[in-house]
Amino acid sequence: MRGTMLYGPRDVRFEERPDPTIIEPTDAIIRISAACVCGSDLWPYRGIEPTTQPRPMGHEYCGIVEEVGSAVKNIKPGQFVVGSFFASDNTCPNCQFGYQSSCMHREGVGGAQSPVLRVPLADGTLVATPSVPSNDLIPSLLTTSDVLGTGWFAADAANVKPGSTVVVIGDGAVGLLGVLSARQMGAERIIAMSRHESRQKLAREFGATDVVAERGDEGVARIMDMTNGIGADSVLECVGTQEAMLQAIRSTRKGGYVSYVGVPHGVELNGEGLFFAHVHLHGGPAPVRRYLPTLIDLVWNGKINPGRVFDLQLPLAQVAEGYRAMDERRAIKVLLWP
């Protein structure tokens, strides 16, 4: 088959690769129905995260099960399934606490920007939909694999409650779906931090009540002005930079909650500053598997339409153009059809 490989900064190739096969008896092989480019893929694409050897790309996926290993009991060939970027057994203590992305036996899932994918620990990782979906549902189901699951975790980790005031820092796909998640959890006021008109519009459609374009100190000042000097109950940091993290902490009320789900690059916190900030911090790689049944149900029953974050669709063979479009901010998120 042909699949996506990253050789170095801005060097994405769609080239011949070996077909995936069952390696462990707990594996499954799925035929990809749709994949996409993730914002976190841009870190190695831009060279901020080094690439020492060519690597297969893609960790958001959904598709039809083609084959399962001898130890797989619950996932069957022919099912349409969604999985997470970390494979988990869903039975270890960490999984039982709801942190499948820290499963004691976790494995990274990579290479999803290709026609076929091997998924380890299939019974614990994959969740089947009630039946094979229509094509119009596939983009939204795909978001549950990572970007919606991460936005949902951001809202959950920031303790979003009915009636609360929420700030979302970052207007990428995760931030936008953090807005959607906060609305689903009953937030009364949702302030989206965004400088881009098209993203501001989508944020409002997903439930944002206010939009703030300022960043850094100016952004904090605006939030404080809008909350009568108190700060927000919950702040979702969906970027992963030093500026975004500090802005999040400083925009939160005393006793409030900050979640951080952007992959951190260059983030360092001062102990004394954090001590006197008096905020709760909770984040990390989203335990998407915890939320998959709920999110799939919301999509399946038409309660939410998160697939609208895909504002560019391309055939998988044009994946390099998809990376360029996201790198140049011409697209929020790129959907790839095999």
Side-chain angles (χ1 to χ4, degrees):
M1 70 173 187
R2 297 177 71 202
T4 304
M5 297 289 289
L6 179 70
Y7 278 76
R10 294 181 170 81
D11 185 2
V12 171
R13 308 178 195 177
F14 192 64
E15 63 181 22
E16 289 296 326
R17 290 175 47 205
D19 289 347
T21 58
I22 298 290
I23 297 174
E24 301 291 339
T26 50
D27 291 348
I29 302 297
I30 69 171
R31 171 116 355 225
I32 295 294
S33 296
C36 58
V37 180
C38 180
S40 64
D41 291 333
L42 296 181
W43 294 109
Y45 180 75
R46 291 167 173 164
I48 297 170
E49 180 183 310
T51 298
T52 56
Q53 61 183 19
R55 61 171 167 176
M57 297 297 290
H59 55 263
E60 299 177 73
Y61 56 95
C62 60
I64 304 289
V65 178
E66 289 199 333
E67 183 183 1
V68 297
S70 59
V72 177
K73 305 302 181 187
N74 300 319
I75 298 300
K76 310 293 184 184
Q79 288 181 316
F80 186 95
V81 293
V82 183
S84 172
F85 49 86
F86 276 127
S88 57
D89 58 25
N90 207 34
T91 59
C92 82
N94 290 347
C95 289
Q96 292 302 298
F97 289 131
Y99 288 85
Q100 291 91 336
S101 50
S102 285
C103 175
M104 298 171 74
H105 305 104
R106 77 176 187 184
E107 296 183 44
V109 178
Q113 293 165 8
S114 60
V116 184
L117 176 69
R118 169 184 169 260
V119 180
L121 302 172
D123 274 338
T125 303
L126 299 172
V127 177
T129 56
S131 60
V132 176
S134 57
N135 282 344
D136 62 309
L137 271 186
I138 288 177
S140 285
L141 289 169
L142 176 59
T143 68
T144 68
S145 176
D146 179 356
V147 65
L148 175 58
T150 297
W152 197 271
F153 175 56
D156 190 19
N159 198 43
V160 173
K161 301 291 185 185
S164 59
T165 295
V166 178
V167 170
V168 179
I169 298 176
D171 63 359
V174 170
L176 291 169
L177 293 180
V179 169
L180 180 151
S181 300
R183 173 57 66 201
Q184 286 291 308
M185 294 179 188
E188 181 175 324
R189 191 177 194 188
I190 303 172
I191 305 168
M193 312 290 289
S194 173
R195 291 180 169 179
H196 302 87
E197 186 175 348
S198 62
R199 299 175 187 225
Q200 293 172 355
K201 182 175 183 293
L202 188 53
R204 288 190 182 278
E205 292 173 3
F206 278 158
T209 56
D210 305 88
V211 172
V212 170
E214 292 86 351
R215 293 181 182 174
D217 292 343
E218 292 182 355
V220 173
R222 284 278 289 124
I223 296 300
M224 286 300 173
D225 181 62
M226 296 169 73
T227 58
N228 299 315
I230 297 169
D233 301 307
S234 304
V235 180
L236 286 55
E237 192 280 286
C238 303
V239 182
T241 63
Q242 179 81 354
E243 180 185 68
M245 178 64 92
L246 294 181
Q247 181 177 320
I249 292 170
R250 294 173 58 209
S251 298
T252 307
R253 67 166 172 82
K254 301 306 179 187
Y257 293 77
V258 175
S259 64
Y260 51 98
V261 298
V263 179
H265 288 79
V267 177
E268 295 182 0
L269 300 180
N270 174 274
E272 183 177 357
L274 192 59
F275 183 77
F276 286 104
H278 244 153
V279 300
H280 299 78
L281 289 178
H282 187 190
V288 170
R289 178 60 181 82
R290 186 205 308 181
Y291 304 115
L292 271 177
T294 296
L295 300 181
I296 288 172
D297 184 68
L298 287 170
V299 168
W300 195 265
N301 291 299
K303 301 292 181 61
I304 57 175
N305 185 13
R308 292 170 62 203
V309 295
F310 293 113
D311 55 348
L312 178 61
Q313 299 189 25
L314 294 171
L316 191 52
Q318 295 179 27
V319 63
E321 171 57 23
Y323 275 82
R324 285 191 292 270
M326 285 184 60
D327 180 40
E328 297 165 4
R329 294 186 74 84
R330 290 185 282 115
I332 300 170
K333 196 163 181 69
V334 178
L335 179 68
L336 301 169
W337 295 104

